Amino acid sequence: MGSLYYPEQDLSCLHKGGKQAIFSKTIRPNMANELYLHPLFQTKVELLSPDERVSLSYQRARLIMQTYRLTSSDVQFCSSKFWSMMMDPICSLDIAMFTILAAHVGLTIGTLSRHLKKRPDFKPLVDRLLRFDTVGIYLLTERGHGLDAFNIETTATKTADGYVLHTPREEAAKFMPASTPSFGIPKVALVMARLIVDGEDRGSRFFVTPICNEREMYHGVHSVRLPPRSGTGPLDFSITSFDHVHLPPTALVASDILDYSTPSQPLEAWWDEIWRIPLGTMAVPAPWISAIKAIAYIGGRYSMHRCLSGKRSEPVPILSFRTQQWPIMHATAVGLVMSNWFPLAIRQAMEKTTDHRVRHAMSIIAKTTICRHFQRCVPEVAERCGAQGTFEHNYMARIENDGKGVIIAEGDVLTLCIRLFSELLQKRYEVPMPDPGESLLALHAASLLEENTALLKDIKGDHRSDTFNALILPQSQIVVEAMGHALAYSAALHSNLPQAILDVYECAVIRQDPAWYSEQGGLTRMDQRLREDAAVSSMLPQLGSFLADLDIEKYVTAPIVSDAGWKEYLAALPVHTGTAIPEVELLQAML
């Protein structure tokens, strides 16, 4: 379990010389760039082959980099410009593209950026990465060491003229960043390997390693392209290995390339090497807020014009049914509450604390809350869109599958929650929370923390005991989510979001733990049902304006949002016709 717990990490590069994260007055996505109008984002990806789609994702990634023109300082200090790119709704249209950018910018450029002052030799590479002339990938985890990445096996053995990078066995191959040369762009990796000097393991370090040029792999570098992930935007995910690849002395990612000393605290040193991962934990959920808003808009507009012919003379919109109303209102409320909270959570994590543990805690809470909301909202809305909800051109089915990848990106959600929850119960630090008297959701979060803190005192053993594992660990994600719900609701309350939105969001959270709200919150099962009915009834007359408030319409390409849109889309699809006439005998036999 050791690798699940984060030691002290040096994130001083975010505050070096008194310089904090560079924020403008407000952090918000840049929606004035009109990227949604660019031909690269007008392409109907569902009509392309898998490799055509991968190629398109790389082209789109280059367009994003050219549009935002980030500097190394923007990336190192996570400026407003950096967050605007990560939060751009365009990222929710192509998760393969976002995957490329998250590793390329957040991890690769980010890792190199803090060494530029003492390592000017990195600047030409960083400049190529910033122009997207070269794609950066981040090779940390291995096929046999997923969450246990501290115990990787890849080695970089010091020689007289540099290093020899080697994969000792199949289990040590790097899994699963896209390393193929198939799409006409050079790639370079930051490879985590164990530094071996005079036969002694000196701990894990990153090494800059050229992977491929525009046409082929470099000598000794092997890339095995993995089959596609089911139902997702494709990318050339790979298993990468190294066969005695020679690297120059300057390949070592360090401010002092002559420092081969063994760290006095290996685990702490390792976390300092991968310092961008905690920042990535906050960044990767950004597109899923836009995705929640998109599916709310798609489902809402479809439900308004899709009608049933019942016993009445006039067709009845399916939105007339409460079973249709709840999923749409739920997703709409979540989309508005999350988009309001996320920029505030970023500020809390990046600007309002100097404690890196609190910073990472806020990142974990945000990622967990957003991702789990996404996983509940999307299938609920997609199912209420019937057969249309299962087709890729209507977005929902694909984005639901793509969402499974973010759960593990930059830290598996459940593992992150286990680490955070354990540390909170042990009082290692505190996360600023709303007063329990502010709302039911704040009371819920405080009560769950108090309940489990008391349980920890009562059980025999410590946080590594079997009892802790059996009784407390399963509560980790539940409590972390509850903290996120309370923080998001508090932000919505203080931002004066409409009461109808607050009420529906509150009811959605109550649904996750109805027993507590009955036992401790004073709401019987009938009280909860009536509370939800009142919230939905209040929101329904305003649904049209709330869908507009999502501010996502320009990024929605699903044709089912209107009948006219569907007819236009249908007219552009291939039509199979012919002149064949069935034989009479065959037709009779079939009948």
Side-chain angles (χ1 to χ4, degrees), residues 7 79 87 99 121 144 153 164 172 194 263 294 325 345 359 377 379 392 404 416 449 469 490 500 524 547 574 579:
S79 71
M87 294 167 63
T99 300
D121 55 302
E153 300 177 51
V164 173
R194 310 195 79 82
Q325 293 165 6
R359 179 181 296 123
C377 290
E392 185 166 9
K404 295 169 184 175
L416 292 174
L449 274 170
N469 176 50
S490 180
T524 66
L547 291 177
T579 58

Side-chain angles (χ1 to χ4, degrees), residues 15 20-21 23-24 346-354 359:
H15 302 278
Q20 292 189 334
F23 290 137
S24 60
I346 292 171
R347 279 193 176 278
Q348 181 67 44
M350 305 299 297
E351 187 179 60
K352 295 185 177 181
T353 179
T354 57
R359 179 181 296 123

Side-chain angles (χ1 to χ4, degrees), residues 31 36 87-90 92-93 287 289-298 395 546-557:
M31 300 175 71
Y36 54 85
M87 294 167 63
D88 194 318
I90 206 73
S92 67
L93 299 187
I289 298 174
S290 295
I292 292 169
K293 293 162 73 173
I295 64 101
Y297 186 86
I298 294 166
Y395 184 69
F546 288 142
L547 291 177
D549 290 343
L550 292 169
D551 201 16
I552 201 70
E553 179 181 5
K554 294 173 182 177
Y555 298 87
V556 170
T557 59

